[in-house]
Amino acid sequence: MTGQHRIVVLGAGYAGLAAARRLARTARDARITVVDAHTSFVERVRLHQQASGQRIPTWDLREALEGKHIDFVNARATDIDTAGKRVVLDAAPALEYDSLIYALGSIADVESVPGVAEHAYSVATLEDVNALPTPDGPVAVVGPGATGIELAAELAESHPGTRVLLLGSDEPGAWLSARAQAHIRRTLERLGVEIRSGAKVIEVSPEGPRLADGSLVESAMTVWTTGFRVPDLAARSGLAVDPDGRVLTDATLRSVSHPDIYAAGDAAVVAGPGGRDLRMACATALPTGKHAADAVVARMRGREPEEFRFRYVLQCLSLGRRDGVVQAVQADDAPARMVLTGRTAAWVKERIVRSAAWSARP
């Protein structure tokens, strides 16, 4: 191959921007282009704050990227022509690439349960959050995972007097230690959140979620926080993917079916400690984005890249603006003994969120 190496990064979330930032330093002789359907970067891990009426930071992608000599194309990728090595876009000419980093992230799964797409809101993207109306009656938050817990706490704290229910099959924070779970429940109840564990939602109607026992939880607004899915672009384009549509990668984050394509973040299957795939999270998006960039540059220079190594350290949840939980975890993400709670945990969580945004910004 002759001429300037063309690197295209699909997606300007945490993984895509972490890759672009690393490439700006290590591949200055390459032409780097980032493609995203949005013009601004939003701190996705703060969307529960915006959903409660707070303003969260955003910044202009073109300004940030082009300031580091990275081209930015505001468009949506509609196809990857793997034979011709080009990305087809909906609002711009197709882009040819020598190396492609696939980092399109994830979106809310609103298709798995009847009625969710028609009668529920979600908080997976800024567009989702901007569509949320101001609470005017009971709010049912479905999903006792991190997103549901953080959203229920923010809504209860910022809208005192509004009835907020948190529904789910499991106890909130069930994957954490007993101490962390106890603090989450105690804090949510102090904020006025009604917790209903063992409540499996099988349908969402205009009147609210319907449970497996046939009962209806009446609500003026239902917010769905259970489950995420990835765009189907990789699968439609012929890349090897798992049953959920995530790109299958080798130990260097290279596609197992297309050697010129790498994947990072939520849209990639990445092996982690203990043989478990890494979970969808900002904590994994940033390092996988950086490593994908390093792998591209290594092969561009004629070297074999190192294998991706990763271990988990912490899991952090905010419980409103003045409380939280920081759970130390083992390498494979299993809860360890140490737990921080209260204002100290809220302070640590805020610093981690700020650090994540700084790590992504070119």
Side-chain angles (χ1 to χ4, degrees):
M1 183 193 71
T2 60
Q4 197 174 31
H5 194 91
R6 300 159 299 182
I7 306 172
V8 173
V9 180
L10 287 184
Y14 288 100
L17 290 181
R21 175 176 171 145
R22 182 63 65 92
L23 290 168
R25 297 205 317 265
T26 60
R28 295 181 179 178
D29 54 336
R31 179 167 186 176
I32 307 161
T33 304
V34 174
V35 179
D36 199 273
H38 304 89
T39 58
S40 299
F41 173 80
V42 61
E43 295 180 38
R44 188 177 183 184
V45 293
R46 291 191 190 273
L47 285 175
H48 59 282
Q49 294 177 238
Q50 176 123 343
S52 68
Q54 302 169 46
R55 293 178 64 89
I56 62 175
T58 62
W59 35 270
D60 185 84
L61 284 168
R62 188 179 303 279
E63 179 182 346
L65 291 166
E66 292 187 351
K68 293 297 181 181
H69 308 291
I70 300 171
D71 295 332
F72 174 67
V73 177
N74 178 213
R76 187 181 305 276
T78 59
D79 184 49
I80 302 172
D81 175 6
T82 56
K85 297 178 65 172
R86 62 191 198 113
V87 180
V88 181
L89 306 174
D90 66 348
L95 285 173
E96 296 183 341
Y97 65 85
D98 297 300
S99 299
L100 174 69
I101 297 178
Y102 187 96
L104 287 181
S106 60
I107 54 179
D109 179 6
V110 297
E111 305 295 336
S112 298
V113 173
V116 173
E118 297 82 7
H119 306 302
Y121 298 89
S122 62
V123 290
T125 67
L126 184 60
E127 290 84 359
D128 294 338
V129 171
N130 288 340
L132 286 172
T134 302
D136 185 23
V139 179
V141 178
V142 182
T147 303
I149 291 168
E150 292 188 322
L151 177 63
E154 294 286 352
L155 289 173
E157 184 175 81
S158 60
H159 295 84
T162 297
R163 185 184 179 201
V164 179
L165 303 96
L166 180 60
L167 313 175
S169 300
D170 300 319
E171 177 73 10
W175 68 96
L176 302 174
S177 66
R179 181 183 169 194
Q181 291 180 52
H183 183 76
I184 290 169
R185 173 171 277 275
R186 188 164 54 246
T187 304
L188 289 174
E189 290 176 341
R190 173 177 58 78
L191 291 170
V193 177
E194 298 178 35
I195 301 170
R196 296 188 58 178
S197 301
K200 180 177 177 58
V201 176
I202 61 170
E203 181 186 8
V204 177
S205 72
E207 293 75 32
R210 189 171 298 279
L211 307 183
D213 63 8
S215 62
L216 176 71
V217 179
E218 294 187 4
S219 66
M221 178 170 70
T222 300
V223 187
W224 193 260
T225 70
T226 297
F228 293 87
R229 61 185 179 89
V230 299
D232 65 353
L233 177 64
R236 286 192 293 104
S237 301
L239 277 68
V241 298
D242 74 351
D244 296 321
R246 298 181 302 160
V247 178
L248 297 173
T249 65
D250 66 11
T252 68
L253 305 190
R254 189 187 212 177
S255 163
V256 299
S257 60
H258 293 78
D260 300 311
I261 298 177
Y262 299 75
D266 291 358
V269 178
V270 180
R276 298 167 57 183
D277 293 342
L278 298 185
R279 56 182 164 85
M280 293 181 176
C282 172
T284 50
L286 291 166
T288 55
K290 294 173 184 175
H291 191 86
D294 289 343
V296 167
V297 173
R299 290 195 169 102
M300 192 175 78
R301 309 282 189 228
R303 305 190 307 269
E304 187 60 25
E306 296 181 1
E307 295 185 356
F308 178 66
R309 302 292 183 192
F310 179 83
R311 64 148 296 154
Y312 291 101
V313 178
L314 297 171
Q315 287 198 35
C316 307
L317 283 81
S318 62
L319 299 169
R321 294 297 85 209
R322 296 178 293 278
D323 208 328
V325 167
V326 176
Q327 170 78 67
V329 296
Q330 300 174 29
D332 64 355
D333 213 22
R337 184 174 181 180
M338 192 276 288
V339 178
L340 295 177
T341 61
R343 288 182 179 270
T344 301
W347 184 90
V348 171
K349 168 73 187 292
E350 176 62 23
R351 268 53 193 178
I352 289 173
V353 169
R354 294 186 185 186
S355 175
W358 178 87
S359 296
R361 184 164 186 162

